[in-house]
Amino acid sequence: MSQAKDALPRASLDKIPLVLIPLIAVAALPLIPSLPTWVTLTIAGLAMGMMIFIMASGLTLVFGLMDVMNFAHGAFITIGAFVATSVLLPLAAWTEADKLWLNLAALLSAILAAMVVAGVLGLAFERVIIKPVYGQHLKQILITMGGLIVAEQSIHVIWGPDIIGLPKPAALRGSFIFGDIAIEKYRVLAVIVGLAVFAAMFGVLNRTRIGLLIRAGVEDSEMVEALGYRIRRIFIGVFVAGSALAGLGGVMWALYQETVSSAMGMQVMILIFIVIIIGGLGSVGGCFIGSLLVGLMANYVGFLAPKIALGSNILLMVLILLWRPQGLYPVAKR
Amino acid sequence: MNNLLALSGVNTRIGHYHILQGVDFVVPQGGLTMLLGRNGAGKTTCLRTIMGLWRASAGRIEFDGADIAGRSTPAVAQLGIGYVPESMGIFAGLTVRENLMLAARAGPLDERRLDWMFGLFPALKKFWQLPAGFLSGGQKQMLAIARAMIEPRKLLLVDEPTKGLAPAIIAHMVEAFRELKRTDTTILLVEQNFHFARALGDTVAVMDSGRIVHSGGMRELAEDEALQHKLLGLSLDAHQ
Ligand SMILES: Nc1ncnc2c1ncn2[C@@H]1O[C@H](COP(=O)(O)OP(=O)(O)O)[C@@H](O)[C@H]1O
Ligand SMILES: [Mg+2]
């Protein structure tokens, strides 16, 4: 036997999509008038990408596992943001205090509350709304759209119809200054939280048995059942975790914009759909890279030609799909 | 001899189609039963119905003394039934090791059983940490079979394991099933390849148009060419 024939095929991560991130950043460099502006925009883009990832990751897994497209996902984002107003505004004494730990305690309480509320509502939503329409795509679209409208109206009833202002905690305002370069503190926090969520997700998916089941289920849920596992239970867990993460993303996004409105979930959903399509439906790694690409694109183009910022992301999606029709990391489906 | 599995009057409908129209056959304990029949006869539908992947609209499926018709797929699998689908159902993005770990519901992989399986399928050892999508068709089939037997199972359902494989690999597969037969596992194997079937089968059931048209010992069918011709037509020669 020849050596070549016996050689092991090498299984390595497909790194080409990773290269796209520095590629976009470098491509933007000559278009932007000054280096400090470019650095600021790049950090802003990465921070925005991380927040989109937090909001989008659950949705891509939910789709991958059970082919459920949940258009109401944005409602959990909005609800997370409103819950944050209910926690942070009464805690103004903490958020305005000059002590970092009090600021962070307030923020953590808001995050915890938002994740619990979004997670519990996610559980109820899955049991009442999604469960009856498994495998029926048209009904899923209609009923989750309906769920979104009901959620928006309920928010109006509970929190009123007006936009609510939500200032950042005192310690997270302003920027770190390095020479000519200003980096907003809150963006640094967003990057840290996003990386932490990605690392945690990566760890669960690749190092635990549940994660193994989720990855297998995304490929072929029927075979997972034939091996003796109840895929529905795994799916419910993923749905609840995805909803809770949407709630977390809602808090982060609300503090980033410092305003909360009942339409905010719907607004970011457009970017989220672009991201999960770019990444490859069901792929968490693809979702992460897609988020960063979309975040960078939104900030560079938003600076150069604000009117076409959204259009540029749609164009990005189209180009990526022309190159890889199943997204950056296609999930092998049965 | 005891029957581990017995189907009686099983009907399965898929959408508007009435596919299984009263299927009756038995799988004796400890033996290898071949389910033969031309393409489209309903063999795959039959295995899927046993696994609960299709719901029988009528009839009984008795396994180990209990009627399992209508139970969910995970519940059926947990009774000790391993399933190798026609598509093999390999998780391409998971490594060989991970594919086997998932199949071992009881927990960590049993080293001795693993060694025994590596003896049957050396390629699995060689490609242990490789995503299964990189395996060749024959290696994938071996992984699919290994996955169904990584823990002792009472019954294995295997759907056309020789489909699309080269003769040398089929010969290897025959050896592996012979070894598996020594372990007391009861097997129901769907085949189109009559030579493969004759080499392994103890008993046989032949399907046509959603019904069983013949059942009995493998040897009688193997020795009766007229009967083979009547039941299986020309398809048996087309496949060797
Ligand atoms: N999902 C399905 N939808 C509709 N008809 C099906 C489906 N699966 C199988 N059939 C039909 O059922 C019959 C039996 O198919 P199958 O059980 O796959 O046969 P075999 O495995 O013996 O080749 C065929 O006529 C096939 O077209
Ligand atoms: Mg078949």
Side-chain angles (χ1 to χ4, degrees), chain A residues 87-97 103 106 167 169-170 173:
Chain A
V87 174
L88 287 176
L89 295 179
L91 283 179
W94 288 15
T95 57
E96 296 303 321
N103 291 177
R173 295 172 200 154

Side-chain angles (χ1 to χ4, degrees), chain A residues 209 215 219 222 227-229, chain B residues 48 78 92-93 98 102 104-105:
Chain A
R209 196 166 175 86
R215 284 187 292 139
E219 278 193 40
E222 191 175 279
L227 289 175
Y229 300 96
Chain B
R48 287 179 61 86
Q78 284 166 15
E98 288 173 329
L102 262 192
R105 280 198 304 276

Side-chain angles (χ1 to χ4, degrees), chain B residues 128-160:
Chain B
W128 191 230
Q129 293 288 6
L130 196 73
F134 287 91
L135 300 179
S136 71
Q139 290 161 346
K140 278 188 186 139
Q141 191 60 262
M142 289 172 192
L143 175 57
I145 295 164
R147 204 168 56 174
M149 54 191 249
I150 184 77
E151 285 174 340
R153 302 270 181 253
K154 290 181 187 152
L155 173 67
L156 292 189
L157 309 177
V158 188
D159 200 346
E160 288 201 48

Side-chain angles (χ1 to χ4, degrees), chain A residues 27 38 112 115 136 180 188 191 229 235 240 246 264 291 294 296 318:
Chain A
W38 178 83
L112 204 65
M115 291 182 77
Q136 300 165 280
D180 289 347
V188 176
V191 170
Y229 300 96
F235 177 74
V240 169
M264 69 174 274
S291 300
V294 164
L296 287 173
V318 170

Side-chain angles (χ1 to χ4, degrees), chain A residues 172-197:
Chain A
L172 299 174
R173 295 172 200 154
S175 304
F176 298 113
I177 310 286
F178 304 94
D180 289 347
I181 298 170
I183 297 173
E184 271 185 46
K185 292 176 185 171
Y186 188 76
R187 288 176 177 161
V188 176
L189 178 77
V191 170
I192 294 171
V193 174
L195 283 176
V197 169

Side-chain angles (χ1 to χ4, degrees), chain B residues 4 6 11 17 29 38 65 82 95 103-104 110 116 140 166 195 198 205:
Chain B
L4 180 61
N11 280 259
Y17 301 99
Q29 174 86 46
R38 59 176 180 79
T95 63
D110 174 357
W116 171 65
K140 278 188 186 139
H195 299 270
R198 190 165 49 191

Side-chain angles (χ1 to χ4, degrees), chain B residues 4-239:
Chain B
L4 180 61
L5 179 75
L7 277 70
S8 43
V10 171
N11 280 259
T12 300
R13 294 160 194 273
I14 305 177
H16 297 295
Y17 301 99
H18 192 174
I19 311 286
L20 299 189
Q21 308 180 359
V23 170
D24 308 274
F25 72 92
V26 298
V27 176
Q29 174 86 46
L32 194 155
T33 300
M34 281 287 171
L35 184 58
L36 305 179
R38 59 176 180 79
N39 236 333
K43 307 178 297 294
T44 296
T45 305
C46 196
L47 294 196
R48 287 179 61 86
T49 304
I50 297 168
M51 279 313 289
L53 291 164
W54 297 129
R55 185 152 296 219
S57 57
R60 287 175 66 80
I61 304 175
E62 265 180 74
F63 175 72
D64 222 2
D67 185 4
I68 62 167
R71 292 202 194 174
S72 73
T73 301
V76 172
Q78 284 166 15
L79 294 171
I81 303 184
Y83 176 49
V84 181
E86 203 168 358
S87 63
M88 300 184 282
I90 290 299
F91 303 113
L94 272 52
T95 63
V96 169
R97 174 173 157 271
E98 288 173 329
N99 268 278
L100 289 171
M101 273 172 63
L102 262 192
R105 280 198 304 276
L109 296 170
D110 174 357
E111 292 294 330
R112 283 180 53 197
R113 201 170 172 88
L114 208 54
D115 280 342
W116 171 65
M117 278 189 353
F118 285 156
L120 294 178
F121 308 123
L124 299 186
K125 184 169 189 172
K126 188 169 161 194
F127 299 123
W128 191 230
Q129 293 288 6
L130 196 73
F134 287 91
L135 300 179
S136 71
Q139 290 161 346
K140 278 188 186 139
Q141 191 60 262
M142 289 172 192
L143 175 57
I145 295 164
R147 204 168 56 174
M149 54 191 249
I150 184 77
E151 285 174 340
R153 302 270 181 253
K154 290 181 187 152
L155 173 67
L156 292 189
L157 309 177
V158 188
D159 200 346
E160 288 201 48
T162 62
K163 196 174 164 186
L165 299 187
I169 300 173
I170 294 179
H172 184 170
M173 203 74 86
V174 170
E175 284 315 308
F177 276 105
R178 286 218 169 102
E179 175 70 25
L180 192 55
K181 281 178 73 172
R182 288 188 203 113
T183 64
D184 223 24
T185 312
T186 308
I187 303 170
L188 174 60
L189 216 163
V190 167
E191 255 312 326
Q192 300 245 10
N193 180 325
F194 190 69
H195 299 270
F196 184 81
R198 190 165 49 191
L200 288 167
D202 300 312
T203 55
V204 61
V206 182
M207 274 191 98
D208 196 25
S209 304
R211 288 194 180 85
I212 299 292
V213 291
H214 170 88
S215 54
M218 187 74 220
R219 183 170 305 161
E220 291 92 88
L221 181 61
E223 284 167 0
D224 188 342
E225 278 188 29
L227 185 60
Q228 281 170 36
H229 198 80
K230 179 175 156 242
L231 293 173
L232 302 163
L234 297 170
S235 71
L236 62 142
D237 293 322
H239 260 276

